[in-house]
Amino acid sequence: MKFRHDINGLRAIAVIAVVLFHFNTPLLSGGFAGVDVFFAISGFLMTSIIIRGINNNNFSILSFYKARAIRIVPALLVMSVTVLLLCYFILIPLKFEQLGRHVMGSLNFMSNITYWKESGYFDTSSQTKWLLHTWSLSVEWQFYLLYPILLVLLSKIFSLNVVKKILVIMTMLGFIFSIYASYYWPSPAYYLFPTRAWEMMMGGLVFLYPINMQVSKKKYVEYSGLFFIIASYFFISKTDMWPGYLALIPVFGAALVILAANQDSIITSNKYIQKIGLWSYSIYLWHWPIVVLGRYLDIQYWAVIGIPSSVLLGFLSYTLIEKKRFELKAIFIPYLFVLLLSYIVLSHINIFYNIPKSIFKAVVTNTKTDHNGAYTWSRIRKLNKQIDFITHTKNKVLVIGDSQAGDFLNAFYDAKLTKNVEIVTRVVEADCGFFYLTPNEQESAYLQSPTIKNSTMWQNKCKKFIKHVDDGNALKDANVIILAMYWQNVNMDWIFKSIENIRKKNPNAEIYVVGGKSFNTQVSTLVYDAYRKKIDIGSYAAKNIASNNKENRVFQNKLFESKSVLAKYNYHFINMTKIMCHNDKCDVIDGDNNIFYSDRRHTTRAGTKYIGMQLNKMHIFPATIVKQM
């Protein structure tokens, strides 16, 4: 194919948007849509290569894979090994071990699945993952693997005209599925290939259905496409459901620009845009590690340094690596080496740190270790399916809340307090911030919530969660109601309004509000820091009880305690700080060095057993409510 200056310029427009967005510049709230433009470009180029090869009877799937590997892998390898070497000197073991997993996922082109399982794209924790941006490369590679096989098979069965119509139908169905999945499964919809494939196939349709137009009309079609793309950058934001129906805007815009094929455009064909376009892949590869480095070092106005650095490294990567066009055999050994290195980092992290065996397990514990995250949720989600209490001979306990309620429920079982009770749960996820408001109160609360005020998706989800609290008669029939959530300072007024509404709904139940138990830093990190500084972990943990603007435990505990005696609330407050901390020390690890936390605020099995023991020791629940086995 003859070099397309318009497509090269479109790459530049896409990568500029992504870089500006990731450096948190206030210019482009929807700059992430640049990735969708890249997808449309890839679809057009891959379709043209495959269909031309099929028509000429010289298409080879293996040769296609080889060409893609030569194009993508060398620069990715260099970036990955550079990040590994840098991070060895600056990351704690747990984070370095995680990086090993991420490098493996990136090189195997499965990182989109890895990041989907770990968290949402816009989560704060995701913004500190050094190779997060490689999820899009994984999606593209998965497209490269499957798409040529599909086209070859279809071409053997049907004529080209029929194949084209099949692809139109598949693109439409993919778009519809993407809208549905974005609403009901937002995180997998963002990361996974099935909800992104239509964007690449849309680009392919531009090749399959070209339109010959007069030169004078090309610029108008191009300008229309650029308008859609730029509009998506400015008027879409990360609070919008993505890649739902709104993703059609940048993808359709890219399709129009490609369709126009205006090689003399003053916008896409000028020499500056052309240079950025040539370097775009390498700029994309290097900009995100630079973003994370700035956040890690907490450098103010990092964009002023980071953006030019991204362009410079992109230029060097393009000049020294991409332009070389290595042979596949020259890539293979380095690829295996970096893959092996990342595996060693992932599976034998202590080779690099030499941490004493006595605390090593605690230092590298996270939510995935021993399935801690699944353990937190399994029991509360299972009981969430039950609508009403069944028995009439036991005390009826209703547990309402998020993962914190899951933790407390596990501790409740570990304390063996369940013989004389029947338990039903109602899950309300932490992002909602509150658990029981009237529809009018919810609308007011949404406006004050930084998490969901601009997210229709989350507002709808929270309405369903709160509606579920009222399902059946469990709320009215409960003798005991336990409320536990990730309490956030900004939501405290609505939390107390929720408690008041619960009390109105059930005037007679014993209500227990469970305070927060989080720290400012992941507890495994506290253990490692205490080991390095040779200080007592209990004292060190006590100094790191959550005290930030989002969750201040001292402030919240005083508030919960002061309001518990008021008639309109009338609840018992379980102060988790007093349960976990004694004599200016917090218990976060037992005598056998089993850590109690899998992150900043969720407990491990050892942690729930410890809390269960404390519930019994402190007689939190009177014998009239629960009876030990």
Side-chain angles (χ1 to χ4, degrees), residues 234-250:
F234 280 98
F235 298 109
I236 291 170
S237 74
K238 61 185 181 181
T239 61
D240 290 310
M241 184 176 67
W242 200 263
Y245 64 93
L246 289 174
L248 183 61
I249 299 173

Side-chain angles (χ1 to χ4, degrees), residues 421-476:
V421 302
E422 181 187 3
I423 300 175
V424 171
T425 66
R426 293 290 184 262
V427 171
V428 181
E429 290 193 15
D431 281 311
C432 298
F434 41 79
F435 52 89
Y436 195 64
L437 298 177
T438 66
N440 288 337
E441 289 167 348
Q442 289 178 54
E443 294 300 328
S444 299
Y446 295 151
L447 296 176
Q448 297 177 26
S449 171
T451 307
I452 59 176
K453 64 181 179 181
N454 295 316
S455 175
T456 303
M457 176 194 71
W458 264 108
Q459 290 175 21
N460 290 332
K461 288 182 71 172
C462 292
K463 287 176 183 176
K464 290 182 179 179
F465 286 132
I466 293 172
K467 187 176 182 296
H468 181 49
V469 174
D470 257 336
D471 283 349
N473 297 310
L475 184 55
K476 290 187 293 185

Side-chain angles (χ1 to χ4, degrees), residues 107-355:
L107 296 182
N108 290 327
F109 297 103
M110 299 291 285
S111 64
N112 59 327
I113 298 173
T114 299
Y115 292 123
W116 156 53
K117 289 182 176 180
E118 288 184 353
S119 66
Y121 186 66
F122 299 115
D123 291 349
T124 302
S125 61
S126 294
Q127 305 303 294
T128 60
K129 294 176 180 177
W130 295 79
L131 300 181
L132 177 67
H133 62 317
T134 63
W135 75 268
S136 64
L137 300 182
S138 295
V139 170
E140 287 200 19
W141 189 260
Q142 290 156 21
F143 178 74
Y144 297 157
L145 286 176
L146 298 175
Y147 193 55
I149 296 174
L150 172 68
L151 291 184
V152 169
L153 290 176
L154 289 177
S155 66
K156 290 182 180 297
I157 302 172
F158 305 105
S159 67
L160 179 59
N161 283 334
V162 174
V163 170
K164 288 163 63 174
K165 292 174 182 178
I166 292 173
L167 292 178
V168 170
I169 294 171
M170 290 180 67
T171 303
M172 292 174 63
L173 291 176
F175 176 57
I176 293 169
F177 175 69
S178 179
I179 295 172
Y180 181 88
S182 297
Y183 184 85
Y184 289 100
W185 313 299
S187 189
Y190 193 97
Y191 283 109
L192 300 187
F193 168 75
T195 50
R196 296 290 190 164
W198 72 269
E199 301 182 25
M200 289 170 273
M201 294 180 74
M202 177 78 86
L205 294 182
V206 176
F207 174 79
L208 294 172
Y209 290 94
I211 298 175
N212 293 321
M213 61 185 77
Q214 297 175 354
V215 174
S216 59
K217 293 182 178 179
K218 285 187 174 185
K219 67 177 181 178
Y220 296 111
V221 175
E222 179 197 28
Y223 291 165
S224 298
L226 291 172
F227 171 80
F228 284 117
I229 293 171
I230 302 302
S232 70
Y233 293 167
F234 280 98
F235 298 109
I236 291 170
S237 74
K238 61 185 181 181
T239 61
D240 290 310
M241 184 176 67
W242 200 263
Y245 64 93
L246 289 174
L248 183 61
I249 299 173
V251 172
F252 181 65
L256 288 179
V257 174
I258 298 170
L259 187 65
N262 187 6
Q263 300 303 295
D264 299 316
S265 169
I266 192 173
I267 298 175
T268 58
S269 297
N270 72 78
K271 64 179 181 180
Y272 302 106
I273 286 292
Q274 285 296 303
K275 291 294 184 184
I276 297 296
L278 289 174
W279 310 336
S280 59
Y281 171 59
S282 284
I283 291 174
Y284 183 80
L285 277 182
W286 285 98
H287 88 282
W288 181 253
I290 295 173
V291 169
V292 177
L293 179 64
R295 288 175 182 158
Y296 184 86
L297 300 176
D298 196 22
I299 299 176
Q300 199 171 16
Y301 306 117
W302 179 239
V304 176
I305 301 171
I307 292 175
S309 299
S310 301
V311 176
L312 175 61
L313 286 174
F315 161 72
L316 292 174
S317 175
Y318 173 77
T319 304
L320 301 177
I321 302 169
E322 281 193 74
K323 284 181 69 175
K324 298 297 182 183
R325 298 293 178 180
F326 298 94
E327 290 294 324
L328 188 61
K329 59 184 178 182
I331 302 171
F332 188 66
I333 297 301
Y335 176 82
L336 288 181
F337 171 76
V338 180
L339 202 62
L340 177 62
L341 178 61
S342 63
Y343 174 75
I344 294 172
V345 170
L346 170 61
S347 58
H348 298 86
I349 188 66
N350 214 20
I351 291 175
F352 302 91
Y353 291 91
N354 195 29
I355 301 166

Side-chain angles (χ1 to χ4, degrees), residues 552-575:
N552 188 312
R553 291 296 160 232
V554 173
F555 161 73
Q556 291 183 8
N557 289 344
K558 287 181 178 178
L559 205 56
F560 278 127
E561 285 173 349
S562 66
K563 290 183 179 289
S564 64
V565 297
L566 299 180
K568 63 180 179 179
Y569 305 125
N570 186 21
Y571 61 83
H572 307 279
F573 177 56
I574 301 177
N575 189 328

Side-chain angles (χ1 to χ4, degrees), residues 500-543:
E500 182 182 354
N501 291 343
I502 290 283
R503 174 54 72 200
K504 288 178 181 177
K505 190 79 173 185
N506 189 330
N508 300 315
E510 295 286 340
I511 298 178
Y512 289 83
V513 176
V514 183
K517 61 184 190 303
S518 53
F519 293 87
N520 287 323
T521 305
Q522 187 153 327
V523 175
S524 56
T525 302
L526 295 179
V527 174
Y528 180 63
D529 286 345
Y531 156 71
R532 286 193 308 163
K533 297 174 181 178
K534 297 185 167 109
I535 58 179
D536 178 70
I537 178 57
S539 301
Y540 189 59
K543 294 177 181 177

